[in-house]
Amino acid sequence: MLKKQQNRLSMFEAVHSYLKENESAFAETSELVDAMNTLRAKIDGIIEVEDLRSNVSKGRTSLKNETRNAAITSGNALAGAMYALGKKTKNVTLVDKANVTISALDSMRDIELVLFLNSTKELAVDYLQELSGFGITAEKFEEFKQKFNLYFEALSARESSRATRMSALRTLAANFTETEDLLKSINKLVESYRASNKQFFNGYIAARSVRDVGSRKKKQPETSGQQANSTSQS
């Protein structure tokens, strides 16, 4: 959620709390009571969408990172065995395609890593019998392939979560717009209390103001005049 939206949401909460605490002041105005209840529903809707957006991002990113690290470790082990086989048999193709370090794999973008893991896996199929002497048994190869696939699936899931996040952002913006429109109607309804109940009206206006919940006041530097006074006093 953007900082501006956080500030607006804080104001929405303040307005609803104030209205709820002072409901007796406008209990006979059914439209205002209904608007207050609708405001609560709008706020809850915003919070729900923001939770969805935030949680889907955290969960999928964590899974992708875990499976990526496992795939890199397995890919490096497979490439190392293929490189050693290539050196022993003077197979230039194996040496060239398997000559990679774990740091190089770690620095690859996801699309580059996917291409490398797939090409290495496909090349290894033709040398499985020879690779068994270098620690890559059929069982170990299947284990590596499974780790590669888990990484590929996590990448796909992350792309899906990205679409979910984008959809949530659009829904969030629409919810804020709807809530702002609702507040305009509430403003009009509260206007009728400007003269008849000034205390209630003024309290509402105070709650309606937007506060920057994330700002901190900076210490103001001394002016040249203040510095001069300090010098003369010393």
Side-chain angles (χ1 to χ4, degrees):
M1 187 182 295
L2 300 175
K3 183 178 178 181
K4 180 180 178 181
Q5 291 176 325
Q6 291 176 341
N7 292 335
R8 302 303 290 179
L9 179 59
S10 178
M11 181 269 288
F12 296 162
E13 290 279 15
V15 168
H16 178 267
S17 294
Y18 180 78
L19 291 175
K20 193 66 178 177
E21 291 169 4
N22 295 274
E23 187 173 356
S24 59
F26 58 89
E28 295 181 357
T29 308
S30 59
E31 287 297 324
L32 185 50
V33 173
D34 290 344
M36 177 190 68
N37 294 331
T38 302
L39 177 60
R40 180 70 261 168
K42 293 291 185 184
I43 293 171
D44 291 342
I46 289 173
I47 294 173
E48 182 180 351
V49 173
E50 173 58 15
D51 286 345
L52 170 65
R53 185 201 65 79
S54 178
N55 291 334
V56 73
S57 175
K58 292 177 182 178
R60 298 293 171 82
T61 299
S62 176
L63 178 61
K64 193 274 289 188
N65 290 339
E66 291 176 8
T67 56
R68 176 186 166 94
N69 290 335
I72 287 175
T73 300
S74 298
N76 183 62
L78 180 58
M82 292 170 64
Y83 180 85
L85 173 62
K87 277 292 189 179
K88 182 177 181 179
T89 60
K90 296 182 172 53
N91 186 321
V92 178
T93 299
L94 278 179
V95 171
D96 181 59
K97 293 190 174 182
N99 187 16
V100 67
T101 63
I102 194 166
S103 59
L105 293 176
D106 193 49
S107 65
M108 288 181 180
R109 294 179 300 165
D110 286 320
I111 184 62
E112 295 172 328
L113 184 57
V114 168
L115 291 173
F116 174 81
L117 294 175
N118 273 326
S119 63
T120 301
K121 177 181 65 175
E122 292 169 3
L123 184 60
V125 171
D126 297 331
Y127 298 92
L128 278 182
Q129 186 173 350
E130 295 92 330
L131 283 170
S132 62
F134 293 81
I136 307 300
T137 61
E139 291 78 10
K140 179 64 68 174
F141 183 62
E142 287 300 319
E143 178 186 327
F144 286 172
K145 286 200 303 181
Q146 183 178 15
K147 290 182 178 179
F148 294 167
N149 289 335
L150 288 174
Y151 168 54
F152 301 156
E153 290 170 5
L155 274 179
S156 177
R158 192 186 67 165
E159 291 303 314
S160 174
S161 72
R162 182 175 298 160
T164 300
R165 291 199 309 274
M166 293 303 296
S167 176
L169 285 173
R170 289 191 292 270
T171 302
L172 202 59
N175 285 355
F176 269 97
T177 299
E178 292 174 2
T179 308
E180 293 286 1
D181 289 341
L182 175 62
L183 278 180
K184 291 177 183 178
S185 296
I186 293 176
N187 289 345
K188 297 298 183 181
L189 291 169
V190 172
E191 276 292 334
S192 63
Y193 297 92
R194 181 187 288 269
S196 62
N197 192 336
K198 290 183 178 180
Q199 183 177 354
F200 168 69
F201 178 81
N202 291 335
Y204 172 80
I205 295 301
R208 186 71 170 78
S209 63
V210 179
R211 298 173 179 81
D212 190 345
V213 296
S215 67
R216 294 181 179 178
K217 292 184 177 179
K218 295 183 179 179
K219 183 178 180 180
Q220 296 297 323
E222 290 184 348
T223 63
S224 57
Q226 289 173 326
Q227 292 173 346
N229 291 337
S230 176
T231 302
S232 63
Q233 291 172 0
S234 60

mmCIF file of all heavy atoms in Angstrom, residues 16-61:
data_model
loop_
_atom_site.group_PDB
_atom_site.id
_atom_site.type_symbol
_atom_site.label_atom_id
_atom_site.label_comp_id
_atom_site.label_asym_id
_atom_site.label_seq_id
_atom_site.Cartn_x
_atom_site.Cartn_y
_atom_site.Cartn_z
ATOM 1 N N HIS A 16 -14.624 6.730 11.173
ATOM 2 C CA HIS A 16 -15.581 5.712 11.624
ATOM 3 C C HIS A 16 -15.608 5.618 13.138
ATOM 4 O O HIS A 16 -16.684 5.523 13.752
ATOM 5 C CB HIS A 16 -15.230 4.347 11.031
ATOM 6 C CG HIS A 16 -16.161 3.267 11.496
ATOM 7 N ND1 HIS A 16 -15.890 2.468 12.598
ATOM 8 C CD2 HIS A 16 -17.393 2.876 11.047
ATOM 9 C CE1 HIS A 16 -16.890 1.636 12.791
ATOM 10 N NE2 HIS A 16 -17.813 1.857 11.866
ATOM 11 N N SER A 17 -14.434 5.657 13.771
ATOM 12 C CA SER A 17 -14.387 5.573 15.234
ATOM 13 C C SER A 17 -15.136 6.731 15.876
ATOM 14 O O SER A 17 -15.881 6.545 16.849
ATOM 15 C CB SER A 17 -12.922 5.579 15.711
ATOM 16 O OG SER A 17 -12.249 4.417 15.282
ATOM 17 N N TYR A 18 -14.942 7.926 15.302
ATOM 18 C CA TYR A 18 -15.620 9.097 15.864
ATOM 19 C C TYR A 18 -17.133 8.973 15.717
ATOM 20 O O TYR A 18 -17.890 9.249 16.660
ATOM 21 C CB TYR A 18 -15.134 10.377 15.186
ATOM 22 C CG TYR A 18 -15.798 11.614 15.735
ATOM 23 C CD1 TYR A 18 -15.394 12.151 16.957
ATOM 24 C CD2 TYR A 18 -16.867 12.215 15.058
ATOM 25 C CE1 TYR A 18 -16.028 13.272 17.484
ATOM 26 C CE2 TYR A 18 -17.503 13.335 15.582
ATOM 27 C CZ TYR A 18 -17.082 13.851 16.796
ATOM 28 O OH TYR A 18 -17.720 14.958 17.320
ATOM 29 N N LEU A 19 -17.580 8.567 14.540
ATOM 30 C CA LEU A 19 -19.019 8.425 14.320
ATOM 31 C C LEU A 19 -19.609 7.353 15.233
ATOM 32 O O LEU A 19 -20.700 7.533 15.796
ATOM 33 C CB LEU A 19 -19.293 8.088 12.854
ATOM 34 C CG LEU A 19 -19.005 9.201 11.838
ATOM 35 C CD1 LEU A 19 -19.215 8.681 10.418
ATOM 36 C CD2 LEU A 19 -19.900 10.418 12.096
ATOM 37 N N LYS A 20 -18.907 6.255 15.383
ATOM 38 C CA LYS A 20 -19.412 5.167 16.219
ATOM 39 C C LYS A 20 -19.523 5.597 17.680
ATOM 40 O O LYS A 20 -20.508 5.289 18.366
ATOM 41 C CB LYS A 20 -18.484 3.950 16.102
ATOM 42 C CG LYS A 20 -19.062 2.666 16.684
ATOM 43 C CD LYS A 20 -20.273 2.218 15.884
ATOM 44 C CE LYS A 20 -20.849 0.913 16.415
ATOM 45 N NZ LYS A 20 -22.075 0.507 15.688
ATOM 46 N N GLU A 21 -18.529 6.342 18.144
ATOM 47 C CA GLU A 21 -18.528 6.795 19.535
ATOM 48 C C GLU A 21 -19.616 7.839 19.798
ATOM 49 O O GLU A 21 -20.060 8.011 20.934
ATOM 50 C CB GLU A 21 -17.160 7.376 19.892
ATOM 51 C CG GLU A 21 -16.054 6.334 19.965
ATOM 52 C CD GLU A 21 -14.667 6.962 20.066
ATOM 53 O OE1 GLU A 21 -14.595 8.216 20.155
ATOM 54 O OE2 GLU A 21 -13.681 6.213 20.043
ATOM 55 N N ASN A 22 -20.016 8.551 18.750
ATOM 56 C CA ASN A 22 -20.999 9.628 18.904
ATOM 57 C C ASN A 22 -22.299 9.329 18.156
ATOM 58 O O ASN A 22 -23.026 10.244 17.751
ATOM 59 C CB ASN A 22 -20.413 10.952 18.400
ATOM 60 C CG ASN A 22 -19.244 11.423 19.232
ATOM 61 O OD1 ASN A 22 -19.413 12.090 20.242
ATOM 62 N ND2 ASN A 22 -18.032 11.065 18.812
ATOM 63 N N GLU A 23 -22.592 8.059 17.999
ATOM 64 C CA GLU A 23 -23.770 7.653 17.232
ATOM 65 C C GLU A 23 -25.064 8.216 17.802
ATOM 66 O O GLU A 23 -26.017 8.497 17.062
ATOM 67 C CB GLU A 23 -23.840 6.127 17.166
ATOM 68 C CG GLU A 23 -24.926 5.606 16.248
ATOM 69 C CD GLU A 23 -24.861 4.087 16.082
ATOM 70 O OE1 GLU A 23 -23.926 3.462 16.630
ATOM 71 O OE2 GLU A 23 -25.752 3.545 15.396
ATOM 72 N N SER A 24 -25.103 8.418 19.110
ATOM 73 C CA SER A 24 -26.330 8.946 19.726
ATOM 74 C C SER A 24 -26.667 10.349 19.231
ATOM 75 O O SER A 24 -27.831 10.759 19.262
ATOM 76 C CB SER A 24 -26.173 8.985 21.259
ATOM 77 O OG SER A 24 -25.063 9.804 21.627
ATOM 78 N N ALA A 25 -25.662 11.068 18.732
ATOM 79 C CA ALA A 25 -25.886 12.435 18.262
ATOM 80 C C ALA A 25 -26.666 12.480 16.946
ATOM 81 O O ALA A 25 -27.294 13.485 16.627
ATOM 82 C CB ALA A 25 -24.551 13.165 18.102
ATOM 83 N N PHE A 26 -26.630 11.377 16.197
ATOM 84 C CA PHE A 26 -27.313 11.372 14.893
ATOM 85 C C PHE A 26 -28.149 10.111 14.692
ATOM 86 O O PHE A 26 -28.464 9.737 13.561
ATOM 87 C CB PHE A 26 -26.294 11.505 13.751
ATOM 88 C CG PHE A 26 -25.241 10.430 13.729
ATOM 89 C CD1 PHE A 26 -25.434 9.240 13.034
ATOM 90 C CD2 PHE A 26 -24.045 10.604 14.406
ATOM 91 C CE1 PHE A 26 -24.466 8.248 13.015
ATOM 92 C CE2 PHE A 26 -23.063 9.619 14.377
ATOM 93 C CZ PHE A 26 -23.263 8.439 13.685
ATOM 94 N N ALA A 27 -28.519 9.465 15.791
ATOM 95 C CA ALA A 27 -29.240 8.187 15.719
ATOM 96 C C ALA A 27 -30.537 8.280 14.921
ATOM 97 O O ALA A 27 -30.975 7.293 14.296
ATOM 98 C CB ALA A 27 -29.524 7.672 17.121
ATOM 99 N N GLU A 28 -31.144 9.466 14.907
ATOM 100 C CA GLU A 28 -32.419 9.610 14.197
ATOM 101 C C GLU A 28 -32.229 9.844 12.702
ATOM 102 O O GLU A 28 -33.195 9.791 11.938
ATOM 103 C CB GLU A 28 -33.215 10.766 14.803
ATOM 104 C CG GLU A 28 -33.638 10.512 16.255
ATOM 105 C CD GLU A 28 -34.441 11.661 16.828
ATOM 106 O OE1 GLU A 28 -34.614 12.675 16.111
ATOM 107 O OE2 GLU A 28 -34.897 11.562 17.982
ATOM 108 N N THR A 29 -30.979 10.094 12.281
ATOM 109 C CA THR A 29 -30.692 10.288 10.859
ATOM 110 C C THR A 29 -30.256 8.936 10.280
ATOM 111 O O THR A 29 -29.079 8.585 10.288
ATOM 112 C CB THR A 29 -29.586 11.341 10.652
ATOM 113 O OG1 THR A 29 -29.925 12.527 11.353
ATOM 114 C CG2 THR A 29 -29.398 11.644 9.172
ATOM 115 N N SER A 30 -31.223 8.162 9.810
ATOM 116 C CA SER A 30 -30.963 6.784 9.391
ATOM 117 C C SER A 30 -29.943 6.698 8.252
ATOM 118 O O SER A 30 -29.141 5.755 8.191
ATOM 119 C CB SER A 30 -32.259 6.096 8.971
ATOM 120 O OG SER A 30 -32.876 6.784 7.896
ATOM 121 N N GLU A 31 -29.948 7.683 7.356
ATOM 122 C CA GLU A 31 -29.014 7.666 6.241
ATOM 123 C C GLU A 31 -27.572 7.779 6.731
ATOM 124 O O GLU A 31 -26.672 7.142 6.189
ATOM 125 C CB GLU A 31 -29.326 8.805 5.259
ATOM 126 C CG GLU A 31 -30.570 8.579 4.422
ATOM 127 C CD GLU A 31 -30.455 7.366 3.508
ATOM 128 O OE1 GLU A 31 -29.343 7.122 3.002
ATOM 129 O OE2 GLU A 31 -31.459 6.671 3.305
ATOM 130 N N LEU A 32 -27.354 8.571 7.757
ATOM 131 C CA LEU A 32 -26.010 8.727 8.308
ATOM 132 C C LEU A 32 -25.577 7.462 9.043
ATOM 133 O O LEU A 32 -24.420 7.053 8.970
ATOM 134 C CB LEU A 32 -25.955 9.941 9.234
ATOM 135 C CG LEU A 32 -24.574 10.320 9.796
ATOM 136 C CD1 LEU A 32 -23.531 10.409 8.693
ATOM 137 C CD2 LEU A 32 -24.668 11.648 10.561
ATOM 138 N N VAL A 33 -26.525 6.839 9.738
ATOM 139 C CA VAL A 33 -26.221 5.568 10.417
ATOM 140 C C VAL A 33 -25.834 4.503 9.384
ATOM 141 O O VAL A 33 -24.854 3.778 9.561
ATOM 142 C CB VAL A 33 -27.425 5.086 11.245
ATOM 143 C CG1 VAL A 33 -27.159 3.686 11.806
ATOM 144 C CG2 VAL A 33 -27.714 6.064 12.376
ATOM 145 N N ASP A 34 -26.600 4.426 8.309
ATOM 146 C CA ASP A 34 -26.298 3.461 7.250
ATOM 147 C C ASP A 34 -24.940 3.762 6.615
ATOM 148 O O ASP A 34 -24.159 2.836 6.307
ATOM 149 C CB ASP A 34 -27.383 3.491 6.171
ATOM 150 C CG ASP A 34 -28.705 2.922 6.659
ATOM 151 O OD1 ASP A 34 -28.693 2.235 7.705
ATOM 152 O OD2 ASP A 34 -29.736 3.163 6.003
ATOM 153 N N ALA A 35 -24.656 5.044 6.396
ATOM 154 C CA ALA A 35 -23.384 5.435 5.782
ATOM 155 C C ALA A 35 -22.215 5.057 6.684
ATOM 156 O O ALA A 35 -21.163 4.608 6.208
ATOM 157 C CB ALA A 35 -23.374 6.929 5.502
ATOM 158 N N MET A 36 -22.400 5.221 7.995
ATOM 159 C CA MET A 36 -21.353 4.842 8.953
ATOM 160 C C MET A 36 -21.059 3.343 8.866
ATOM 161 O O MET A 36 -19.900 2.908 8.844
ATOM 162 C CB MET A 36 -21.778 5.202 10.372
ATOM 163 C CG MET A 36 -20.787 4.776 11.450
ATOM 164 S SD MET A 36 -21.463 4.960 13.125
ATOM 165 C CE MET A 36 -22.756 3.692 13.116
ATOM 166 N N ASN A 37 -22.099 2.527 8.790
ATOM 167 C CA ASN A 37 -21.928 1.080 8.697
ATOM 168 C C ASN A 37 -21.298 0.677 7.362
ATOM 169 O O ASN A 37 -20.475 -0.243 7.301
ATOM 170 C CB ASN A 37 -23.281 0.383 8.871
ATOM 171 C CG ASN A 37 -23.846 0.559 10.265
ATOM 172 O OD1 ASN A 37 -23.097 0.707 11.227
ATOM 173 N ND2 ASN A 37 -25.164 0.569 10.390
ATOM 174 N N THR A 38 -21.679 1.376 6.308
ATOM 175 C CA THR A 38 -21.079 1.108 4.994
ATOM 176 C C THR A 38 -19.602 1.472 4.994
ATOM 177 O O THR A 38 -18.781 0.778 4.396
ATOM 178 C CB THR A 38 -21.806 1.901 3.889
ATOM 179 O OG1 THR A 38 -23.186 1.552 3.895
ATOM 180 C CG2 THR A 38 -21.222 1.600 2.522
ATOM 181 N N LEU A 39 -19.267 2.552 5.693
ATOM 182 C CA LEU A 39 -17.864 2.962 5.802
ATOM 183 C C LEU A 39 -17.038 1.859 6.455
ATOM 184 O O LEU A 39 -15.921 1.556 6.010
ATOM 185 C CB LEU A 39 -17.757 4.254 6.614
ATOM 186 C CG LEU A 39 -16.338 4.771 6.880
ATOM 187 C CD1 LEU A 39 -15.609 5.062 5.577
ATOM 188 C CD2 LEU A 39 -16.389 6.022 7.761
ATOM 189 N N ARG A 40 -17.591 1.237 7.487
ATOM 190 C CA ARG A 40 -16.871 0.134 8.148
ATOM 191 C C ARG A 40 -16.624 -1.010 7.173
ATOM 192 O O ARG A 40 -15.525 -1.590 7.133
ATOM 193 C CB ARG A 40 -17.688 -0.368 9.345
ATOM 194 C CG ARG A 40 -17.064 -1.518 10.136
ATOM 195 C CD ARG A 40 -15.851 -1.064 10.906
ATOM 196 N NE ARG A 40 -14.597 -1.383 10.243
ATOM 197 C CZ ARG A 40 -13.425 -0.879 10.629
ATOM 198 N NH1 ARG A 40 -13.347 -0.032 11.647
ATOM 199 N NH2 ARG A 40 -12.320 -1.192 9.976
ATOM 200 N N ALA A 41 -17.619 -1.325 6.381
ATOM 201 C CA ALA A 41 -17.491 -2.407 5.399
ATOM 202 C C ALA A 41 -16.447 -2.058 4.342
ATOM 203 O O ALA A 41 -15.666 -2.923 3.921
ATOM 204 C CB ALA A 41 -18.841 -2.676 4.745
ATOM 205 N N LYS A 42 -16.415 -0.790 3.929
ATOM 206 C CA LYS A 42 -15.434 -0.351 2.938
ATOM 207 C C LYS A 42 -14.010 -0.457 3.492
ATOM 208 O O LYS A 42 -13.090 -0.896 2.799
ATOM 209 C CB LYS A 42 -15.711 1.095 2.513
ATOM 210 C CG LYS A 42 -17.003 1.292 1.745
ATOM 211 C CD LYS A 42 -16.951 0.665 0.374
ATOM 212 C CE LYS A 42 -18.204 0.972 -0.427
ATOM 213 N NZ LYS A 42 -18.207 0.286 -1.744
ATOM 214 N N ILE A 43 -13.847 -0.050 4.745
ATOM 215 C CA ILE A 43 -12.532 -0.132 5.388
ATOM 216 C C ILE A 43 -12.076 -1.581 5.480
ATOM 217 O O ILE A 43 -10.930 -1.915 5.166
ATOM 218 C CB ILE A 43 -12.581 0.498 6.797
ATOM 219 C CG1 ILE A 43 -12.804 2.005 6.689
ATOM 220 C CG2 ILE A 43 -11.296 0.209 7.562
ATOM 221 C CD1 ILE A 43 -13.085 2.684 8.021
ATOM 222 N N ASP A 44 -12.978 -2.460 5.904
ATOM 223 C CA ASP A 44 -12.639 -3.888 6.019
ATOM 224 C C ASP A 44 -12.262 -4.469 4.656
ATOM 225 O O ASP A 44 -11.365 -5.312 4.550
ATOM 226 C CB ASP A 44 -13.819 -4.658 6.613
ATOM 227 C CG ASP A 44 -14.061 -4.321 8.077
ATOM 228 O OD1 ASP A 44 -13.139 -3.768 8.705
ATOM 229 O OD2 ASP A 44 -15.167 -4.610 8.581
ATOM 230 N N GLY A 45 -12.949 -4.010 3.610
ATOM 231 C CA GLY A 45 -12.646 -4.479 2.265
ATOM 232 C C GLY A 45 -11.255 -4.058 1.832
ATOM 233 O O GLY A 45 -10.511 -4.842 1.219
ATOM 234 N N ILE A 46 -10.865 -2.833 2.146
ATOM 235 C CA ILE A 46 -9.525 -2.341 1.814
ATOM 236 C C ILE A 46 -8.464 -3.163 2.539
ATOM 237 O O ILE A 46 -7.458 -3.572 1.949
ATOM 238 C CB ILE A 46 -9.401 -0.846 2.178
ATOM 239 C CG1 ILE A 46 -10.232 0.004 1.213
ATOM 240 C CG2 ILE A 46 -7.939 -0.399 2.153
ATOM 241 C CD1 ILE A 46 -10.305 1.464 1.597
ATOM 242 N N ILE A 47 -8.677 -3.405 3.819
ATOM 243 C CA ILE A 47 -7.713 -4.173 4.616
ATOM 244 C C ILE A 47 -7.582 -5.596 4.082
ATOM 245 O O ILE A 47 -6.474 -6.150 3.995
ATOM 246 C CB ILE A 47 -8.140 -4.193 6.100
ATOM 247 C CG1 ILE A 47 -8.052 -2.774 6.680
ATOM 248 C CG2 ILE A 47 -7.278 -5.152 6.900
ATOM 249 C CD1 ILE A 47 -8.617 -2.644 8.083
ATOM 250 N N GLU A 48 -8.690 -6.205 3.715
ATOM 251 C CA GLU A 48 -8.675 -7.574 3.192
ATOM 252 C C GLU A 48 -7.883 -7.666 1.891
ATOM 253 O O GLU A 48 -7.069 -8.583 1.711
ATOM 254 C CB GLU A 48 -10.112 -8.051 2.967
ATOM 255 C CG GLU A 48 -10.207 -9.490 2.468
ATOM 256 C CD GLU A 48 -11.642 -9.943 2.255
ATOM 257 O OE1 GLU A 48 -12.563 -9.200 2.661
ATOM 258 O OE2 GLU A 48 -11.845 -11.034 1.690
ATOM 259 N N VAL A 49 -8.107 -6.716 0.986
ATOM 260 C CA VAL A 49 -7.391 -6.724 -0.295
ATOM 261 C C VAL A 49 -5.898 -6.484 -0.080
ATOM 262 O O VAL A 49 -5.053 -7.121 -0.721
ATOM 263 C CB VAL A 49 -7.966 -5.662 -1.251
ATOM 264 C CG1 VAL A 49 -7.108 -5.543 -2.510
ATOM 265 C CG2 VAL A 49 -9.393 -6.016 -1.631
ATOM 266 N N GLU A 50 -5.552 -5.579 0.829
ATOM 267 C CA GLU A 50 -4.140 -5.296 1.106
ATOM 268 C C GLU A 50 -3.454 -6.515 1.715
ATOM 269 O O GLU A 50 -2.304 -6.826 1.388
ATOM 270 C CB GLU A 50 -4.023 -4.097 2.043
ATOM 271 C CG GLU A 50 -2.610 -3.815 2.537
ATOM 272 C CD GLU A 50 -1.604 -3.561 1.432
ATOM 273 O OE1 GLU A 50 -1.996 -3.321 0.279
ATOM 274 O OE2 GLU A 50 -0.394 -3.621 1.721
ATOM 275 N N ASP A 51 -4.147 -7.228 2.598
ATOM 276 C CA ASP A 51 -3.581 -8.455 3.182
ATOM 277 C C ASP A 51 -3.324 -9.496 2.100
ATOM 278 O O ASP A 51 -2.284 -10.175 2.109
ATOM 279 C CB ASP A 51 -4.531 -9.027 4.241
ATOM 280 C CG ASP A 51 -4.521 -8.228 5.533
ATOM 281 O OD1 ASP A 51 -3.592 -7.414 5.707
ATOM 282 O OD2 ASP A 51 -5.439 -8.410 6.354
ATOM 283 N N LEU A 52 -4.255 -9.635 1.169
ATOM 284 C CA LEU A 52 -4.096 -10.582 0.063
ATOM 285 C C LEU A 52 -2.879 -10.202 -0.775
ATOM 286 O O LEU A 52 -2.045 -11.047 -1.083
ATOM 287 C CB LEU A 52 -5.351 -10.586 -0.806
ATOM 288 C CG LEU A 52 -5.246 -11.342 -2.145
ATOM 289 C CD1 LEU A 52 -5.025 -12.830 -1.893
ATOM 290 C CD2 LEU A 52 -6.496 -11.130 -2.984
ATOM 291 N N ARG A 53 -2.773 -8.942 -1.136
ATOM 292 C CA ARG A 53 -1.658 -8.469 -1.960
ATOM 293 C C ARG A 53 -0.319 -8.701 -1.270
ATOM 294 O O ARG A 53 0.641 -9.171 -1.867
ATOM 295 C CB ARG A 53 -1.820 -6.984 -2.256
ATOM 296 C CG ARG A 53 -0.774 -6.414 -3.223
ATOM 297 C CD ARG A 53 -0.659 -4.926 -3.086
ATOM 298 N NE ARG A 53 -0.160 -4.537 -1.787
ATOM 299 C CZ ARG A 53 1.126 -4.584 -1.439
ATOM 300 N NH1 ARG A 53 2.035 -5.013 -2.297
ATOM 301 N NH2 ARG A 53 1.504 -4.222 -0.232
ATOM 302 N N SER A 54 -0.262 -8.388 0.009
ATOM 303 C CA SER A 54 0.985 -8.499 0.760
ATOM 304 C C SER A 54 1.392 -9.948 0.984
ATOM 305 O O SER A 54 2.553 -10.324 0.790
ATOM 306 C CB SER A 54 0.824 -7.791 2.107
ATOM 307 O OG SER A 54 1.996 -7.909 2.880
ATOM 308 N N ASN A 55 0.446 -10.796 1.374
ATOM 309 C CA ASN A 55 0.763 -12.186 1.711
ATOM 310 C C ASN A 55 1.134 -13.023 0.492
ATOM 311 O O ASN A 55 2.036 -13.859 0.561
ATOM 312 C CB ASN A 55 -0.426 -12.839 2.429
ATOM 313 C CG ASN A 55 -0.643 -12.261 3.810
ATOM 314 O OD1 ASN A 55 0.286 -11.756 4.424
ATOM 315 N ND2 ASN A 55 -1.864 -12.323 4.309
ATOM 316 N N VAL A 56 0.464 -12.811 -0.631
ATOM 317 C CA VAL A 56 0.775 -13.601 -1.815
ATOM 318 C C VAL A 56 2.167 -13.267 -2.306
ATOM 319 O O VAL A 56 2.890 -14.122 -2.815
ATOM 320 C CB VAL A 56 -0.271 -13.374 -2.931
ATOM 321 C CG1 VAL A 56 -0.132 -12.000 -3.586
ATOM 322 C CG2 VAL A 56 -0.154 -14.461 -4.005
ATOM 323 N N SER A 57 2.597 -12.041 -2.128
ATOM 324 C CA SER A 57 3.928 -11.627 -2.553
ATOM 325 C C SER A 57 4.999 -12.270 -1.689
ATOM 326 O O SER A 57 5.976 -12.828 -2.189
ATOM 327 C CB SER A 57 4.049 -10.101 -2.477
ATOM 328 O OG SER A 57 5.357 -9.690 -2.772
ATOM 329 N N LYS A 58 4.814 -12.223 -0.368
ATOM 330 C CA LYS A 58 5.815 -12.765 0.548
ATOM 331 C C LYS A 58 5.969 -14.266 0.402
ATOM 332 O O LYS A 58 7.082 -14.794 0.327
ATOM 333 C CB LYS A 58 5.428 -12.421 1.988
ATOM 334 C CG LYS A 58 5.510 -10.936 2.309
ATOM 335 C CD LYS A 58 5.038 -10.664 3.718
ATOM 336 C CE LYS A 58 5.081 -9.171 4.038
ATOM 337 N NZ LYS A 58 4.567 -8.880 5.400
ATOM 338 N N GLY A 59 4.839 -14.987 0.349
ATOM 339 C CA GLY A 59 4.887 -16.446 0.293
ATOM 340 C C GLY A 59 5.531 -16.972 -0.978
ATOM 341 O O GLY A 59 6.395 -17.856 -0.930
ATOM 342 N N ARG A 60 5.146 -16.428 -2.126
ATOM 343 C CA ARG A 60 5.671 -16.920 -3.391
ATOM 344 C C ARG A 60 7.138 -16.564 -3.575
ATOM 345 O O ARG A 60 7.910 -17.343 -4.143
ATOM 346 C CB ARG A 60 4.829 -16.361 -4.543
ATOM 347 C CG ARG A 60 3.358 -16.804 -4.508
ATOM 348 C CD ARG A 60 3.215 -18.290 -4.766
ATOM 349 N NE ARG A 60 1.873 -18.765 -4.522
ATOM 350 C CZ ARG A 60 0.867 -18.666 -5.379
ATOM 351 N NH1 ARG A 60 1.044 -18.070 -6.529
ATOM 352 N NH2 ARG A 60 -0.319 -19.164 -5.088
ATOM 353 N N THR A 61 7.547 -15.382 -3.135
ATOM 354 C CA THR A 61 8.946 -14.972 -3.265
ATOM 355 C C THR A 61 9.846 -15.861 -2.427
ATOM 356 O O THR A 61 10.918 -16.278 -2.862
ATOM 357 C CB THR A 61 9.118 -13.502 -2.839
ATOM 358 O OG1 THR A 61 8.338 -12.671 -3.689
ATOM 359 C CG2 THR A 61 10.571 -13.083 -2.935
#
